[in-house]
């Protein structure tokens, strides 16, 4: 099977490295000037440099993208424009794997590519790019995935994801999976960015009231949407992921530090929007949105 990985972020680079390690055929599509190598530092400190077949998406022109699996490990706000950009090129048999934090409008994606199999996935693997060429793996996570249309399931494609980002749990209740991951990001991402800490620091008891308060609001919104979960369950899960990725700076922490666009609107902002629609107050999540936005201004000024 042939793989395409779109994007040059930490998870995109991690997929390149893991595909290389598994001897899988892959190509990496990027927005601007291609690089030719990535220096990977494994969890045990071992360093490996790999050659990457990179090409800019624009240079593909009208050629067909025929890869069996096309990964989109992108920011939430980049997914829809990228799917639109590749929609004329992608072969109908290619499966798209959306790999992002936060929530996006999945109906809009299926409307653009109604005939392609699409997988929505989330992963808690930790990776960090100290600079353009370097990738540090900072935590072995877990992946959860589901097919948007279960009649399009393909076990060969599932095997690729099971091999690249193990352990991968498959579920038919994709909304439940996405909300549970959202709830984790709603805790770890803004708190680590605001307090300028690594994920692991959240396990310190001083942060537990904040974790519980965020999870309480998120659980109320989830319950209202018919998803069965308790605030305690969400807190335990979020702290568990913080512990598993203890050495990692969350993606939002990195985005703020490097002046990149972050995903607060698709994470805590999404919880507030859903709360508004359902008549559930979400002042804690709103405060986090405001604080992250003011941090962004602080680092930009
Ligand atoms: O956004 C991130 O950084 C990751 O999704 C997670 C799970 C919080 C680990 O750092």
């Amino acid at each position: 099977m042939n793989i395409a990985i779109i994007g040059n972020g930490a998870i995109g680079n991690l997929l390149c490295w893991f595909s290389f390690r598994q001897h899988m055929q892959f190509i990496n599509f990027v927005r601007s000037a291609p690089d030719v190598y990535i220096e990977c530092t494994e969890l045990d400190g071992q360093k490996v440099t790999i050659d990457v077949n990179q090409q800019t998406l624009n240079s593909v022109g009208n050629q067909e993208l025929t890869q069996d699996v096309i990964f989109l490990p992108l920011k939430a706000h980049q997914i829809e424009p990228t799917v639109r950009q590749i929609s004329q090129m992608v072969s109908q048999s290619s499966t798209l794997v959306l790999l992002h934090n936060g929530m996006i409008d999945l109906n809009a994606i299926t409307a653009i590519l109604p005939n392609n199999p699409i997988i929505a996935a989330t992963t808690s693997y930790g990776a960090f790019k100290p600079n353009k060429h370097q990738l540090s793996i900072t935590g072995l996570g877990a992946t959860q995935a589901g097919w948007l249309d279960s009649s399009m399931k393909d076990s060969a494609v599932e095997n690729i994801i099971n091999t690249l980002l193990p352990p991968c749990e498959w579920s038919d209740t994709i909304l439940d999976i996405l909300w549970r991951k959202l709830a984790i990001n709603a805790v770890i991402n803004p708190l680590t960015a605001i307090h300028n800490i690594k994920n692991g620091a959240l396990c310190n008891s001083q942060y537990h009231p904040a974790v519980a308060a965020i999870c309480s609001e998120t659980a109320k919104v989830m319950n209202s949407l018919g998803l069965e979960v308790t605030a305690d369950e969400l807190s335990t899960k979020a702290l568990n992921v913080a512990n598993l990725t203890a050495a990692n700076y969350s993606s939002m922490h990195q985005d703020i530090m490097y002046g990149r666009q972050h995903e607060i609107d698709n994470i805590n902002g999404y919880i507030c929007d859903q709360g508004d629609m359902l008549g559930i107050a979400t002042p804690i999540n709103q405060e986090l949105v405001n604080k992250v936005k003011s941090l962004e201004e602080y680092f930009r000024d």
Side-chain angles (χ1 to χ4, degrees), residues 15 57 72 128 132 143 153 161 188 260-261 281 293:
L15 279 167
L57 252 192
L72 287 91
F128 164 62
K132 193 168 174 243
T143 307
K153 276 185 188 176
I161 300 174
I188 299 181
R260 299 189 297 236
Q261 190 163 346
K293 289 195 172 174

Side-chain angles (χ1 to χ4, degrees), residues 11 75 100-102 122-127 138 141-142 181 184-189 192 199 238 241-242 244-246 248-255 263 267:
I11 299 295
K75 296 255 180 254
H100 57 88
N101 282 334
T122 67
T123 189
S124 53
Y125 268 76
T138 47
K181 175 70 183 348
I184 295 169
N185 286 123
V187 169
I188 299 181
N189 296 36
T192 52
N199 295 356
V241 172
L244 280 173
T245 57
N248 202 21
Y249 281 114
S250 77
S251 54
M252 194 173 287
H253 182 286
Q254 295 179 44
D255 290 340
E263 297 170 301
I267 300 177

Side-chain angles (χ1 to χ4, degrees), residues 262-300:
H262 50 71
E263 297 170 301
I264 196 77
D265 286 333
N266 295 83
I267 300 177
N268 305 79
Y270 186 84
I271 295 171
C272 296
D273 291 346
Q274 293 290 306
D276 282 350
M277 282 195 297
L278 297 160
I280 296 167
T282 52
I284 309 278
N285 277 282
Q286 189 57 57
E287 195 186 326
L288 294 172
V289 173
N290 298 345
K291 279 191 177 159
V292 168
K293 289 195 172 174
S294 57
L295 269 185
E296 163 203 337
E297 277 156 28
Y298 176 80
F299 278 97
R300 204 177 34 218

